[in-house]
Every structure is written in C-alpha cells, then in structure tokens.
Amino acid sequence: MSTEPTVTPPSLVVGEDGRARPVWASTDELLRDYYDTEWGMPVRDERGVFERLSLEAFQSGLSWRTILAKRPAFRAAFADFDPDTVAAFGEADVARLMADAGIVRNRAKILATITNANATIALRQDGGLADLVWSFRPDRTPEPVTFADVPTTSDESVALSKALRKRGFAFVGPTTMYALMEALGIVDTHLVGSHRRGTSGVWS
C-alpha cells in the first residue's frame, strides 16, 4: 500500500503574462481569449441572451471549445441569432441547417432554437427574455477555490429552467441554465485568485 501523498493538480495556472487562469483556459488560445474577454461579463440584451441560450443548448453533450470554434458558422446559419428571423425559419431552413457542416447538425436542437426564438418574441409583452433570465440572480455568488467547488446547478437555475419551460422554451434544463447564468455574469464562478474574479461589476 502506497504511503505517497495524493497530489492534487492546481486549479489555476499563472501564464507568461502573470495572470492566473483556470486550467481549461490556460493553454488553448481560443478558450483563453474567450475567458479573458467574454465569459462571465454581463449580457443584458435580447439578442445576446438568445444567442448564448441557443449555444448552451447546442453544447449539451459536447465540449464548449467545439461550440466556440463553430460560433461564427452558427451566427451565419442563424441570422446572427435575430429572434424574429429565426422564428420564421421553416422546413427548408431546417434542411439547410442539417446540411451545414459548420454547425452542430442536431435536428432536435435546431428545432428547439426555432421554438425558443418564438418563445423569446412572445416574452416581449411581459418584460422580455433578458429581464426574465436576470430576475433569477441569486443573493450571493459562489466563491470557488477549486473546480470541485464550482456548482453545476442551483435553486435559481432550477427555478429559471421551470420558468422558461412554462413559457414554451426547450433544451433549458437546470444544468444548462446554470452554465448560461455563469456565461452571462449572473453568477461569478471565476475561481478565487483568477485575474477575472470580480471583474464583471455585478459582484463586488
């Protein structure tokens, strides 16, 4: 039986620029740039929230890097995620999207995006998608030190999931909604010690 102590890999890596980042954003240029400039920064406009909700749904079962690399193609395929345009997509558009190798060709997720565009439009008469999503901001944000400390769901993400489903949205499970809340800055799950911790202005 080994008596060697268990070595826990570091959760943060200090780059050549002196900035501490999580391991997942420490080497890959695409992920590092996304982490440094976008992830966790507040998004409060309808189109921006709809885009991120859509991409989080497409990410289900895949790596976020895959989605990030395909984002330009997604934007081109889905009219820059303009809800009015996407809501009007018909079967010919679905066939076009299913033939587009630049995106994730999943019929259920494509149909869900069109469904969600229609649901987004319907929400305008009641405050709008962005206001609804942001209304589930918790009183406190997590303060994770390691990856193991980062939640994957919360009471608020469960409640948001239920609220969106009630409004006709699809592919909005609690885990996906928690990832959305992280991406939009509604919660700050940057690890304590990261150079991005607390930079959103949402949380002190």
Side-chain angles (χ1 to χ4, degrees), residues 69-150:
K70 290 177 177 287
R71 182 156 69 164
F74 270 113
R75 285 175 168 171
F78 285 95
D80 204 29
F81 289 98
D82 174 64
D84 294 284
T85 303
V86 177
F89 280 5
E91 192 55 47
D93 294 290
V94 174
R96 168 181 60 83
L97 293 165
M98 286 296 293
D100 189 343
I103 67 169
V104 175
R105 293 179 286 184
N106 181 302
R107 185 177 178 86
K109 292 177 180 179
I110 289 169
L111 292 174
T113 304
I114 299 170
T115 294
N116 292 348
N118 281 280
T120 296
I121 292 170
L123 262 179
R124 289 173 182 166
Q125 62 186 358
D126 195 21
L129 176 62
D131 283 356
L132 176 63
V133 172
W134 274 88
S135 73
F136 288 88
R137 176 189 163 187
D139 293 330
R140 297 182 62 184
T141 192
E143 297 180 8
V145 175
T146 68
F147 291 129
D149 300 329
V150 180

Side-chain angles (χ1 to χ4, degrees), residues 56 152-154 157-158 161 172-182:
E56 292 292 350
T152 56
T153 62
S154 67
S157 78
V158 171
S161 173
V172 288
T175 301
T176 300
M177 289 305 93
Y178 195 79
L180 177 68
M181 293 168 78
E182 291 178 289

